[in-house]
Amino acid sequence: GAVVSQHPSWVICKSGTSVKIECRSLDFQATTMFWYRQFPKQSLMLMATSNEGSKATYEQGVEKDKFLINHASLTLSTLTVTSAHPEDSSFYICSARAQEANGNEQFFGPGTRLTVL
Amino acid sequence: DAKTTQPPSMDCAEGRAANLPCNHSTISGNEYVYWYRQIHSQGPQYIIHGLKNNETNEMASLIITEDRKSSTLILPHATLRDTAVYYCIVRAHNAGNMLTFGGGTRLMVKP
């Protein structure tokens, strides 16, 4: 089956620093990747949709200048949390849709737990 | 996308079938029913999806009512590793390909 990886799996950083999270599709090409955020005991909330070679589309209430998304290739998307603050501490999950998917399944990464001190 | 309603939690005995219901009374004709699950501190895992016919794979069975207003995910022989939050999602084919997650059902499989 399709595999999506994320790196790092967890990160602790100081307030005010920036953190980059990578999302890779390992055995397929992903034209579209999605970034979600999940706070404790809550459901996943879509942050943005990223299409290879174009600007990401952000959901309402998500600051595009704070959460920078780059989807430079068909197998890699990155999310950079700029000037992180404690309220940005969350579980960040990416997902990818294969370029020629039949059935529209999305494949999710294992998530990255960000803790901002 | 149509909204779904799921019970917030369910218990199931290990080895027994787990039947997880989902109501989607406002589903439209081009919308599929998808099921994902999320084990604690992991990313969601695709389980199964269907349009109107019942579906079965190695993980589960999906039973969709004739009027498509509700469905049931069946785990035939639940194990402790099936303890997770199960999400029922209704989405039109190619609807931006994004998935909108509701609250899901927290299934606890007990020995």
Side-chain angles (χ1 to χ4, degrees):
Chain A
V3 178
V4 175
S5 71
Q6 283 184 240
H7 177 79
S9 55
W10 60 270
V11 57
I12 301 173
C13 70
K14 293 183 178 180
S15 185
T17 61
S18 294
V19 175
K20 180 185 285 188
I21 302 170
E22 293 184 349
C23 177
R24 293 182 186 273
S25 56
L26 297 185
D27 50 1
F28 67 97
Q29 293 187 323
T31 50
T32 304
M33 289 185 172
F34 304 88
W35 287 96
Y36 293 82
R37 178 169 54 181
Q38 185 176 34
F39 293 107
K41 296 187 178 181
Q42 294 186 23
S43 190
L44 285 77
M45 296 297 295
L46 180 67
M47 298 175 67
T49 301
S50 169
N51 292 301
E52 187 265 338
S54 63
K55 291 184 178 180
T57 302
Y58 290 81
E59 295 300 301
Q60 191 173 11
V62 178
E63 300 175 57
K64 64 179 181 179
D65 294 330
K66 180 171 181 61
F67 298 99
L68 301 179
I69 292 173
N70 184 284
H71 192 164
S73 78
L74 286 171
T75 59
L76 173 65
S77 176
T78 61
L79 168 68
T80 301
V81 183
T82 62
S83 186
H85 288 94
E87 56 265 30
D88 299 322
S89 298
S90 188
F91 193 48
Y92 291 86
I93 305 168
C94 73
S95 72
R97 178 178 179 269
Q99 189 172 22
E100 294 178 358
N102 296 319
N104 275 308
E105 301 95 324
Q106 282 186 37
F107 302 98
F108 286 81
T112 296
R113 186 162 302 282
L114 170 64
T115 302
V116 184
L117 302 178
Chain B
D1 293 337
K3 180 180 171 59
T4 62
T5 304
Q6 298 177 253
S9 65
M10 290 182 64
D11 289 345
C12 176
E14 186 180 18
R16 305 296 291 269
N19 298 295
L20 294 99
C22 179
N23 284 323
H24 31 78
S25 58
T26 60
I27 192 171
S28 59
N30 66 339
E31 290 181 316
Y32 286 70
V33 180
Y34 286 79
W35 282 84
Y36 282 77
R37 73 178 182 184
Q38 186 179 24
I39 295 170
H40 183 62
S41 293
Q42 296 184 23
Q45 176 188 22
Y46 166 81
I47 301 173
I48 200 167
H49 76 281
L51 182 62
K52 55 182 179 181
N53 296 322
N54 296 337
E55 302 288 344
T56 295
N57 62 21
E58 65 278 4
M59 290 184 67
S61 294
L62 173 61
I63 308 299
I64 303 174
T65 57
E66 193 168 341
D67 63 8
R68 303 210 321 124
K69 292 185 176 182
S70 66
S71 61
T72 301
L73 180 75
I74 301 173
L75 307 179
H77 305 286
T79 70
L80 299 180
R81 288 178 294 181
D82 292 322
T83 293
V85 178
Y86 287 77
Y87 295 100
C88 168
I89 300 168
V90 172
R91 183 171 65 99
H93 201 71
N94 288 326
N97 300 313
M98 58 179 249
L99 292 167
T100 302
F101 287 81
T105 295
R106 186 172 298 275
L107 175 68
M108 179 74 72
V109 180
K110 298 183 175 181

